[in-house]
Amino acid sequence: MIAEIGHFALILALGVALLQAVVPLWGARRNDPVLMGLAGPASVVQFLLVAVSFAALTHAYVVSDFSVMNVFSNSHTDKPLLYKVSGVWGNHEGSLLLWITILALFGLAVSLFGGNLPPGLKARALAVQAMITVGFLLFILFTSNPFERLDPPPINGQGLNPLLQDPGLAFHPPFLYLGYVGFSMAFSFAIAALIEGRVDAAWARWVRPWTLVAWVFLTCGIVLGSWWAYYELGWGGWWYWDPVENASFMPWLAGTALLHSAVVVEKRDALKSWTIFLAILAFGLSLLGTFLVRSGVITSVHAFASDPTRGVFILGLLVIAIGGSFALYAVRAPSLKTGGLFAPISREGALLLNNVLMATGAGTVLLGTLYPLFADAFDLGKVSVGPPFFNSVFVPLMVPMVLAMAAGPFMSWKRADLMGVLGRLKLVLGLAVVAAGVTWFLEGGTAGPWWAAGGIGLAVWLFLGTLAEWAERVRLFKAPAEALGRARRLPRAAWGMTLAHAGLALFIAGATASSAWKQESVQSQKVGEAVTVAGYTFTLTDVRDVQGPNYVASTGTFEVTRDGKPFATMTPAKRTYKMPPRPTTEAAIVGTFWGDVYAVVGDKDPDGGYVTRLYFNPLVPWMWMGALVMVIGGLVSLSDRRHRVGAPTRARAGAKTQPAKA
């Protein structure tokens, strides 16, 4: 009965979404406050109905109701409760319901917290958001019903993919979807602005916090997924340019560019058309990722094995939503006023360079991801595009962007003196060159690729340049007695920028070191034998079977020493799950300031030894720490009072007198 309530709630939500998509839009055209006001209550009711449906599916998983096909296919009575709950979104139908729930949640948030929005813009944005929800509700109701029944109900279920039975994968999809779907709000604001025919500083002030929310969540989701791949798959790496990894990375790049572009619209009333384009692009790439994951066109450990007919439905939704949006953009964008002019050497110019390079990077990743599909579709042969392509094409694009990130905040708006900026950064530049030289002397001349020293120098340039800009803002060296007071008065958005840029510098250092100087050893190792990697000696002392709640694990014990002194006891394992019967790898990792000591134990070989993989991954903890600092920077920026207050008074007043346009 509860499953039927959940299904019926989705049908009702579709009706409410249709109402919300049509009536407020018509009200905005007629400038009718009553009809426009319907958008808020409709978004509340829509969210409540979708939440009831999601709760009904979650209940079916928790109580192991195997009369529901979705539960039977993805759960089992022996699963721990955490993985019963995460099983709700560990499959195509359930994850689609989570997507719709988050769509409704963002609409609810705008309804509740968008009191400072002009009624016309708010009504149009919520109507566009409802249109997106209508598309996905039609998709789930007609092709992916999560409440389909089985009669008679089976005694037990088939279980969840063991790779997904992990805390990292339990929380990774919700964060990722909050990022993906969060960009729908920026998209809705962009389409509403195109319909209205006006993009100004007020619009940029309204759209930035919603974009920032999506960016923070997507960053968390990507990092959680990378962290899971690092310790769960047992290959010692954290990123492989997998198509589904790329599907999340592309909207992150576009969203990051959108955040910076919106600043130019707000501060200088420039780049308006480009900012609208990025808002459409960010959500378009999110929809493309959904298509890649659910269409069956790619093979990935992350992808859902889905019926290709579902992919056709999503492709149609993608064509209608994004094709229609770009058609509207082509008609409306030329009429948008260009705004303030600026010289190439200026803060606007630096932010534009950031935008162009990030957009180009996203295009490069898109090309590398889709080219094998196009080659296969046109009988051009099987083509594999892997890390060598992405590393050689994408990474060089990011180098000038990082160089500009440190110099850009020193530049003034409209026009800047490049030599003067570089003069203020000469100490930072000198220290970056020294860091690169020392790295080359210690490592580059004897081991590791030549570019690694440059990567470390680049990280030092960005980190110290970011700190130097903060120090100049608070006049740390000119008036140190007053610096603390100035630091307290700094806008939180400025603090957020400092933290985010410093976090990226830490991430670059960690990514460079782990890629360039990782050391590994793969061998057959018997109990009692020792292997040395990067100065750490791994002695395999025992391998025993351990019974888990729904698996059996072959657990090895390594006694690790360094310079003859005990360092750690590590217990990696290889698990074999009962239902479905499938093996997984559980790496043992001990982190230090300078890197991770990493051990994996595998199958027993005919000689009585065990296949072991031993690694030292330098500076990997810096990557996770850098990503965390970036997220904290985003949250600090989000707490800036200006995001809560909204647009300047004069912009709101102008919005009230602006006649509505269809």
Side-chain angles (χ1 to χ4, degrees):
M1 181 61 181
I2 293 179
E4 281 69 33
I5 292 174
H7 190 195
F8 186 60
L10 279 182
I11 297 172
L12 291 178
L14 175 60
V16 174
L18 284 168
L19 185 71
Q20 181 183 333
V22 175
V23 175
L25 202 60
W26 178 251
R29 178 182 176 85
R30 298 183 58 187
N31 201 23
D32 187 329
V34 175
L35 297 181
M36 288 190 292
L38 183 66
S43 65
V44 174
V45 173
Q46 182 192 141
F47 171 76
L48 292 175
L49 289 170
V50 173
V52 166
S53 182
F54 189 82
L57 185 60
T58 303
H59 175 269
Y61 269 87
V62 170
V63 302
S64 296
D65 182 0
F66 297 120
S67 68
V68 178
M69 180 179 289
N70 187 267
V71 180
F72 164 72
S73 302
N74 300 283
S75 192
H76 193 276
T77 53
D78 290 340
K79 277 202 321 182
L81 180 61
L82 172 63
Y83 303 126
K84 287 184 178 180
V85 174
S86 64
V88 175
W89 53 79
N91 59 88
H92 166 70
E93 293 83 0
S95 65
L96 189 59
L97 182 56
L98 175 64
W99 178 289
I100 294 169
T101 304
I102 296 172
L103 263 176
L105 176 63
F106 272 93
L108 174 71
V110 171
S111 174
L112 297 180
F113 304 111
N116 57 349
L117 293 168
L121 180 65
K122 182 178 179 181
R124 290 185 175 97
L126 287 175
V128 174
Q129 189 78 357
M131 291 178 191
I132 301 168
T133 308
V134 166
F136 278 94
L137 283 170
L138 289 172
F139 181 32
I140 196 171
L141 288 170
F142 286 101
T143 72
S144 310
N145 179 13
F147 299 104
E148 186 176 346
R149 288 286 194 177
L150 285 173
D151 187 22
I155 297 175
N156 217 326
Q158 295 179 339
L160 179 68
N161 183 344
L163 285 175
L164 304 181
Q165 297 186 42
D166 179 87
L169 256 289
F171 299 105
H172 161 66
F175 278 105
L176 200 65
Y177 286 5
L178 282 163
Y180 273 160
V181 181
F183 285 128
S184 70
M185 208 64 252
F187 170 83
S188 296
F189 275 112
I191 300 304
L194 286 176
I195 294 172
E196 196 171 83
R198 187 183 72 253
V199 177
D200 53 19
W203 177 87
R205 176 72 63 84
W206 291 315
V207 80
R208 276 182 63 199
W210 301 105
T211 305
L212 192 55
V213 167
W215 182 88
V216 167
F217 280 122
L218 187 56
T219 303
C220 286
I222 292 173
V223 171
L224 281 173
S226 181
W227 178 56
W228 166 80
Y230 177 66
Y231 72 78
E232 178 68 21
L233 299 183
W235 57 287
W238 48 273
W239 191 265
Y240 195 69
W241 297 104
D242 177 276
V244 180
E245 291 175 338
N246 296 346
S248 64
F249 189 45
M250 289 185 290
W252 186 90
L253 289 169
T256 306
L258 173 60
L259 278 175
H260 291 82
S261 182
V263 172
V264 181
V265 178
E266 181 184 348
K267 301 291 186 183
R268 293 283 301 138
D269 199 33
L271 302 184
K272 293 186 286 189
S273 178
W274 172 250
T275 303
I276 292 288
F277 176 84
L278 287 175
I280 298 173
L281 182 65
F283 184 59
L285 291 172
S286 296
L287 287 181
L288 178 63
T290 303
F291 168 72
L292 292 175
V293 171
R294 300 170 192 278
S295 62
V297 300
I298 61 170
T299 301
S300 167
V301 68
H302 308 81
F304 295 109
S306 301
D307 184 348
T309 57
R310 293 172 174 174
V312 172
F313 194 107
I314 299 179
L315 185 59
L317 182 62
L318 180 65
V319 170
I320 292 171
I322 304 307
S325 301
F326 279 125
L328 178 63
Y329 174 80
V331 172
R332 291 286 197 178
S335 65
L336 298 177
K337 294 181 179 179
T338 57
L341 300 177
F342 56 89
I345 305 300
S346 62
R347 185 171 296 191
E348 297 98 321
L351 289 170
L352 180 59
L353 176 64
N354 162 288
N355 273 221
V356 170
L357 291 173
M358 283 206 163
T360 305
T364 298
V365 177
L366 179 64
L367 175 64
T369 304
L370 296 184
Y371 183 77
L373 304 180
F374 289 136
D376 187 37
F378 291 103
D379 293 326
L380 300 177
K382 295 289 184 181
V383 178
S384 176
V385 178
F389 167 80
F390 292 105
N391 291 336
S392 61
V393 177
F394 176 81
V395 173
L397 285 172
M398 296 299 103
V399 172
M401 187 201 73
V402 175
L403 290 173
M405 283 178 67
F410 284 91
M411 295 183 181
S412 57
W413 295 103
K414 197 173 182 179
R415 184 182 299 274
D417 177 13
L418 180 60
M419 297 311 297
V421 170
L422 294 178
R424 289 147 70 188
L425 284 168
K426 59 185 177 183
L427 178 60
V428 172
L429 179 61
L431 292 173
V433 171
V434 168
V438 170
T439 302
W440 172 257
F441 177 77
L442 295 177
E443 296 282 356
T446 57
W450 62 268
W451 49 261
I456 296 299
L458 198 66
V460 171
W461 160 262
L462 178 57
F463 188 81
L464 294 182
T466 299
L467 294 185
E469 191 273 339
W470 176 87
E472 187 168 292
R473 275 179 180 264
V474 300
R475 302 181 66 187
L476 181 63
F477 302 111
K478 295 181 179 179
E482 302 172 10
L484 183 59
R486 289 195 180 91
R488 288 175 178 172
R489 292 190 296 272
L490 271 183
R492 291 183 184 178
W495 278 102
M497 180 196 73
T498 299
L499 289 171
H501 286 190
L504 180 61
L506 293 174
F507 187 91
I508 291 171
T512 299
S514 64
S515 300
W517 301 307
K518 178 171 75 173
Q519 297 185 44
E520 65 178 296
S521 178
V522 182
Q523 59 279 309
S524 175
Q525 191 172 358
K526 296 181 180 179
V527 173
E529 289 185 345
V531 176
T532 299
V533 178
Y536 295 91
T537 300
F538 298 78
T539 303
L540 182 63
T541 59
D542 184 33
V543 180
R544 63 189 185 281
D545 290 336
V546 176
Q547 181 68 49
N550 59 338
Y551 61 83
V552 175
S554 179
T555 303
T557 301
F558 287 94
E559 295 296 337
V560 185
T561 61
R562 182 170 177 82
D563 298 329
K565 299 177 182 179
F567 172 76
T569 298
M570 304 179 68
T571 54
K574 182 171 183 178
R575 295 178 179 176
T576 301
Y577 282 79
K578 301 174 184 177
M579 185 58 66
R582 193 174 302 174
T584 65
T585 300
E586 303 295 323
I589 303 172
V590 177
T592 70
F593 181 79
W594 295 110
D596 281 349
V597 180
Y598 187 109
V600 176
V601 66
D603 294 324
K604 189 174 184 178
D605 61 28
D607 296 332
Y610 295 85
V611 177
T612 61
R613 302 175 69 94
L614 309 173
Y615 301 86
F616 178 71
N617 296 321
L619 299 193
V620 165
W622 290 34
M623 291 195 312
W624 313 133
M625 180 171 58
L628 178 61
V629 172
M630 289 171 67
V631 169
I632 293 173
L635 293 174
V636 170
S637 183
L638 191 61
S639 70
D640 194 306
R641 180 177 177 273
R642 291 174 296 178
H643 294 321
R644 300 193 299 276
V645 170
T649 303
R650 67 175 187 277
R652 286 206 304 270
K656 290 178 182 178
T657 60
Q658 180 76 16
K661 298 181 181 179

